[in-house]
Amino acid sequence: MKTFGKGNEKMEKIDEREKKAKKNSIKKLTSRIRDSVDSTLNEIKADSKSLAQDLIIFSVGFILSRCQLLLGARPIGIAFVAMLPTGIWPALLGVVIGSISLGTNGVIFGVATVITALLRIAASISEKRENGEGELFGESLLLRLAISVLGSFIVAIYEAMMRGLDEVSLLFGLVMIILTPLITFLLSGLCSTGIGFWEIIEGSSDIIKLSDCERKERYDRAFFQISALALILFISLSLKSVTILGISFSYVFAALAALFTAKRFGSLRAMAAGFVASLGLS
């Protein structure tokens, strides 16, 4: 009887061990599945964010390429591609398609933008060879400004060849050569502060506060806000000619810009964004 009782106890202990082992294996399997699902969801989220960012950059490039300034000059698309340190390809595609959509007069701006991107690639490779390090499109701002001048110079030469050397073509060339690097520099504050794209979309006013920060950081944040206002103005100017049922898209954009800025960065900055956007309507 004692032997039989001990045998039962041993069997019960073995059963308990097996049950614990099964529970542990189920927990491990569940944990692995959960980790795998979380990892997949994070990858999908990252991919969707990356896709959304590319689509936004593409759309901005398309809109800016259609913005006409003095004497029919359209330097902003070239400046946009010359300025960006990342997201070059969707921006280039947007600018090229936007330029082509203007007809035969816009094709040269698309060609000049492509040449600008190629010059940036050549400059990046050259810097990498000289310094032994560096990233594609990681040139200095000064070099990007010089490349933007070359891109605008191509348009100026083409215009002079098509029109002949008259006052209009010379003024057009000057406008392109002067405004393109100026706009490149003006917009460069969007990418030189270290503020990420999704920090702007999902962030709060803390990322652009001018108080409680060092002098250089304060300057960078102020420059970022100036660049953002310039971008809003250029988009508004470009959308001015687009109307549906007699309503200009610039009105819609001005309202959306003000609402978004108010929600993310406060009422004072929203007033500034709305005012600057409304300048494109005048």
Side-chain angles (χ1 to χ4, degrees):
M1 293 293 292
K2 287 182 180 179
T3 304
F4 183 73
K6 288 180 179 179
N8 284 338
E9 288 178 1
K10 287 182 180 179
M11 289 297 294
E12 287 175 0
K13 288 181 180 180
I14 291 170
D15 288 340
E16 286 179 3
R17 288 175 184 172
E18 288 179 352
K19 287 179 181 179
K20 287 181 179 179
K22 286 180 180 179
K23 285 181 180 179
N24 290 333
S25 62
I26 291 170
K27 284 182 179 179
K28 288 179 180 179
L29 180 61
T30 305
S31 178
R32 287 176 182 175
I33 293 171
R34 190 186 300 112
D35 291 341
S36 178
V37 170
D38 289 342
S39 176
T40 304
L41 289 175
N42 288 332
E43 287 178 4
I44 293 172
K45 188 177 179 181
D47 290 341
S48 62
K49 277 191 170 184
S50 177
L51 178 61
Q53 181 175 333
D54 288 344
L55 287 174
I56 291 171
I57 292 174
F58 168 84
S59 301
V60 172
F62 179 87
I63 293 168
L64 292 180
S65 68
R66 297 176 58 85
C67 184
Q68 180 175 312
L69 300 180
L70 300 173
L71 300 174
R74 303 178 191 272
I76 306 177
I78 297 173
F80 187 59
V81 170
M83 174 273 299
L84 286 173
T86 58
I88 300 294
W89 302 121
L92 178 62
L93 183 61
V95 171
V96 170
I97 293 176
S99 300
I100 293 172
S101 70
L102 295 169
T104 54
N105 292 331
V107 173
I108 183 59
F109 296 101
V111 171
T113 306
V114 171
I115 293 173
T116 299
L118 292 175
L119 288 173
R120 290 196 62 188
I121 292 172
S124 299
I125 294 172
S126 178
E127 278 195 350
K128 189 173 183 180
R129 284 177 179 175
E130 289 179 4
N131 303 327
E133 58 181 9
E135 298 178 357
L136 192 63
F137 303 117
E139 324 93 283
S140 65
L141 177 58
L142 188 61
L143 188 53
R144 279 180 272 163
L145 292 174
I147 290 171
S148 71
V149 172
L150 292 175
S152 60
F153 185 72
I154 292 168
V155 179
I157 292 295
Y158 174 83
E159 185 70 11
M161 289 173 63
M162 295 300 292
R163 280 180 175 270
L165 287 174
D166 56 10
E167 291 181 358
V168 176
S169 63
L170 288 174
L171 286 173
F172 174 88
L174 283 173
V175 168
M176 283 295 302
I177 292 170
I178 293 172
L179 286 185
T180 305
L182 285 177
I183 294 171
T184 302
F185 176 75
L186 186 59
L187 294 178
S188 65
L190 293 169
C191 304
S192 62
T193 58
I195 298 174
F197 180 84
W198 289 105
E199 285 183 286
I200 301 167
I201 302 298
E202 300 174 346
S204 66
S205 59
D206 292 339
I207 62 174
I208 56 172
K209 269 187 177 179
L210 299 181
S211 57
D212 303 328
C213 58
E214 296 180 359
R215 185 176 179 180
K216 185 182 182 305
E217 191 175 1
R218 191 182 303 117
Y219 166 79
D220 288 342
R221 291 182 178 185
F223 189 29
F224 170 83
Q225 294 179 55
I226 293 169
S227 297
L229 290 175
L231 181 64
I232 289 171
L233 174 61
F234 294 142
I235 292 175
S236 181
L237 284 170
S238 183
L239 293 175
K240 183 180 178 180
S241 60
V242 183
T243 58
I244 292 182
L245 300 176
I247 301 173
S248 173
F249 267 35
S250 287
Y251 287 102
V252 179
F253 174 73
L256 292 176
L259 287 172
F260 173 81
T261 309
K263 183 178 180 181
R264 295 296 184 191
F265 306 113
S267 57
L268 288 176
R269 292 186 177 92
M271 288 175 61
F275 173 74
V276 169
S278 67
L279 293 177
L281 303 172
S282 57

